Structure formats: C-alpha cells, structure tokens
Amino acid sequence: MAESQQPHLPLPPKPVDVDVIENAISELLRGLGQGDKSEVMSQTPRRVAELYAQSINPGDIDIEEDFKVFDNPGMQDLILVNDVHYVSLCEHHLAPAFGVAHVGYVPDRKVAGYSKLKKGLNYLARQPQLNERLVVDAVNFLEARLQPKGIAMVLRSAHCCIALRTNAPSQEVVTVIERRGALCEERYWSPLWASAVAEKPAFLGR
C-alpha cells in the first residue's frame, strides 16, 4: 500500500477547549460537595483542565509523518517488542488505566523502528478508550503500515476505576489479545504469549 493510500487514523484528534473543561470541573466539585473549599475551587479546576488537555490528543505529534517504515534487511522470523508501557483513560469512567503492551510480527517487506511501535500505540491510547477497541485499533494501524505476514498484540492493564470503587489498590490485570495471519500459528504465538505473561506488569509489583 502506498504511503498516500494509508488509511486514516481510527481516532483522529479532536478539538480541546480548556475553558469548557475548567467550568465543568468546577461544577463537578460543587456536585461532590467541595464547593466551599476555596483552596480547591480557586486553582484545581484549571489544573485538571490543563492536565486533561495535555493528556488527550497530543497536538505536537504528527503520527502519520513520524511513523516511518524501513526495507526488511532479510528478517524471516518473529520480531518481538515487549513491555511497551502506555496510559489511557477508561471510556466508561474517565479514570486512568495503566497498561503494558507486547507486540509480535513476522515481517514481509517492511520493518518498523521499535520506538515507532510505542509511539503508534500511545497516540491511540491517549484519549477515552476501551482496551478491546485499543488493541484492534493499534493492530489495524500497524498492519496497514507494515503489511506483515502476521501480527499480534497483547495488552495487560490495571484500571483505577476498579480501585476507586473498591477503595483499595487494584491488583486485577485485564488482558486483551488480537492476532492475525502467521501469529495465529503456535510456533509464532507461543513465544509472544509466554513473554507477555511471564511476570506481572511492573506497576503492579512483582
């Protein structure tokens, strides 16, 4: 597929209005019974608004321009990239989710720099998301640009919405998988899966 024919991103950047966010957070705090705390109401809404603006839709990244691929120098077997950390927002509760991705692909004519795999995933993660959508979007993104013989991704994440509801640190690990082509074959899939579940993600402790 020629570069000019590459598909558009599944979740393109959306406009962010910091003032609207600030006003909404002020109302949220009042609704939570915090409106009488001047130290909270004076600065917190703006801080939260700026945090969300910086965390969602990073405007300084042109992912289409940044994501470069290279001619395959002759690699015929599996390429694994493990422990790619990402942070996203749970679409249902707007609470952070901390995750680790494990990616494997069998190249055909193209390979990608390892940092580009991380950049593509993080671009798609930095907006309200569902893990089930994120893994599909990320694999679609990589598959369209690499056109490999096979590709798979394992996402393992912990969700703050669980911790907030239970008032306890979340130790549950949610795992979602998407695999295609040659990565459905056991000889390629087994090394990726073994490395993905070998240890708990570092942010959950060992």
Side-chain angles (χ1 to χ4, degrees), residues 67-183:
F67 196 91
K68 303 293 186 183
V69 296
F70 308 95
D71 291 336
N72 185 355
M75 183 76 182
Q76 299 294 317
D77 212 327
L78 179 67
I79 296 174
L80 285 178
V81 182
N82 291 110
D83 299 324
V84 180
H85 286 243
Y86 68 93
V87 179
S88 192
L89 284 176
C90 165
E91 186 175 280
H92 292 157
H93 305 98
L94 295 184
F98 301 91
V100 175
H102 306 273
V103 185
Y105 71 100
V106 178
D108 189 6
R109 292 180 297 172
K110 299 294 181 180
V111 295
Y114 306 133
S115 67
K116 304 306 181 186
L117 300 175
K118 180 181 179 73
K119 187 171 288 188
L121 174 65
N122 274 275
Y123 185 93
L124 295 168
R126 289 179 65 172
Q127 47 201 307
Q129 265 287 15
L130 298 175
N131 266 17
E132 294 84 350
R133 182 193 301 120
L134 177 58
V135 72
V136 172
D137 285 347
V139 170
N140 285 344
F141 177 85
L142 296 174
E143 187 175 44
R145 286 149 185 83
L146 289 168
Q147 298 182 45
K149 295 176 183 177
I151 187 168
M153 180 177 289
V154 179
L155 299 184
R156 308 191 73 208
S157 57
H159 295 251
C160 289
C161 55
I162 298 175
L164 288 168
R165 284 201 301 266
T166 60
N167 195 30
S170 177
Q171 294 294 304
E172 296 84 358
V173 178
V174 178
T175 301
V176 294
I177 300 163
E178 181 73 6
R179 54 180 178 158
R180 299 173 188 175
L183 262 294

Side-chain angles (χ1 to χ4, degrees), residues 180-197:
R180 299 173 188 175
L183 262 294
C184 294
E185 299 176 22
E186 194 63 25
R187 60 176 173 147
Y188 293 125
W189 170 243
S190 289
L192 173 57
W193 179 245
S195 62
V197 298

Side-chain angles (χ1 to χ4, degrees), residues 191-206:
L192 173 57
W193 179 245
S195 62
V197 298
E199 295 180 326
K200 272 189 174 183
F203 49 80
L204 290 180
R206 298 304 187 188

Side-chain angles (χ1 to χ4, degrees), residues 27-40:
E27 291 303 304
L28 173 65
L29 289 169
R30 292 189 184 95
L32 291 171
Q34 305 299 307
D36 59 340
K37 296 181 178 179
S38 60
E39 72 278 10
V40 171

